[in-house]
Amino acid sequence: MASSMKSFADLQQVGKQLKAQQEQRAKAEAERLAREKQAAIEANIFRSSIGDVQVLKQPEKFHPIPKKPQPLPFKHIEDEQKALQESLSDEFDAGTLLESDDNLSYTRIGVGIDVAKKLRKGEWVIQAQLDLHGMRRDQARDSLGEFLRKCIRSGFRCVRIIHGKGLGSINKEPVLKNKVRNWLIQKDEVIAFSQATAADGGSGALIVLLRAS
């Protein structure tokens, strides 16, 4: 009898414990639901206050490509200067190639004699001129080469080179006058030249005929 009463008391105790656990779970569940409900209410309040949210489009990033400076053709310029200096030698003697008249005319092989005559008479229209007055030898030589290149590129055929009469030079010798003749004969683009007419400078200038470009 006493054993039966003890077992019944134990069952009652277990029942109470199970009931207490159920009540705790129910309470925890109720609290969870209440928190979720409150969170939903607050979320609705937030959304209603700020309105619809749109995702902003991110602009594409611009990566500028720096423009590279044009390379300077230093080597090309240097080669041209060397070629110019080498092509116009100061040691070249053109005396044997010039006609033995007072005008010291010159025509390249294959060019008709009448070309020099027309130059002497001033029958060609002068399209450009270069004044070498006051220049030193090296400066005059470089200026002459550059002038001839520009004239060929421009399609000029007849030009005037003013070298002066040498009256202001040492010993009154026309050094530059003779050098210009020597330089011109060495240039392939020069096919003829003659002393200018009195109206175009006389013995202080040359009328030069260039090949067609």
Side-chain angles (χ1 to χ4, degrees):
M1 186 67 178
S3 177
S4 298
M5 292 294 292
K6 184 177 180 182
S7 297
F8 180 73
D10 291 340
L11 290 174
Q12 285 183 330
Q13 185 64 28
V14 172
K16 290 180 180 179
Q17 291 177 352
L18 291 174
K19 184 178 180 180
Q21 291 176 356
Q22 290 177 351
E23 290 177 351
Q24 289 178 354
R25 286 197 293 271
K27 183 179 179 181
E29 181 67 15
E31 290 176 352
R32 184 184 67 80
L33 293 174
R35 287 195 300 271
E36 290 181 354
K37 183 177 180 180
Q38 183 62 30
I41 293 173
E42 292 177 354
N44 288 333
I45 294 173
F46 177 75
R47 281 194 293 270
S48 62
S49 62
I50 65 173
D52 295 334
V53 178
Q54 295 181 352
V55 179
L56 295 176
K57 294 182 179 180
Q58 295 293 331
E60 296 183 1
K61 292 184 178 180
F62 175 69
H63 300 285
I65 301 176
K67 186 176 181 180
K68 295 182 179 180
Q70 292 293 331
L72 294 176
F74 291 112
K75 183 60 178 175
H76 178 69
I77 295 174
E78 180 182 355
D79 291 342
E80 278 199 345
Q81 290 176 343
K82 287 182 178 179
L84 174 61
Q85 292 176 355
E86 291 172 358
S87 64
L88 298 179
S89 172
D90 290 330
E91 305 302 323
F92 183 80
D93 183 11
T96 59
L97 299 177
L98 299 176
E99 292 184 6
S100 59
D101 59 5
D102 294 337
N103 296 313
L104 295 179
S105 301
Y106 164 79
T107 53
R108 191 169 294 278
I109 296 176
V111 179
I113 300 176
D114 59 324
V115 172
K117 291 180 180 179
K118 289 181 180 180
L119 285 176
R120 285 195 296 269
K121 293 179 181 179
E123 295 185 12
W124 287 84
V125 177
I126 298 174
Q127 298 170 290
Q129 74 173 22
L130 173 66
D131 191 347
L132 301 176
H133 268 115
M135 293 187 184
R136 294 183 178 275
R137 183 188 61 185
D138 291 344
Q139 183 184 5
R141 180 184 58 199
D142 294 345
S143 298
L144 177 62
E146 178 64 21
F147 173 73
L148 294 177
R149 285 201 303 273
K150 289 181 178 179
C151 288
I152 288 294
R153 287 197 297 266
S154 301
F156 296 157
R157 295 297 311 279
C158 184
V159 299
R160 176 169 54 188
I161 308 296
I162 303 172
H163 48 64
K165 299 179 181 180
L167 299 179
S169 60
I170 299 176
N171 298 326
K172 306 297 181 180
E173 294 181 359
V175 177
L176 192 57
K177 176 180 178 178
N178 296 330
K179 290 293 184 183
V180 169
R181 283 173 164 78
N182 292 344
W183 295 335
L184 288 174
I185 290 177
Q186 296 176 65
K187 301 298 291 183
D188 291 337
E189 53 264 44
V190 175
I191 62 175
F193 64 76
S194 178
Q195 180 175 294
T197 63
D200 290 326
S203 61
L206 290 175
I207 305 302
V208 183
L209 185 63
L210 305 176
R211 62 173 170 79
S213 58

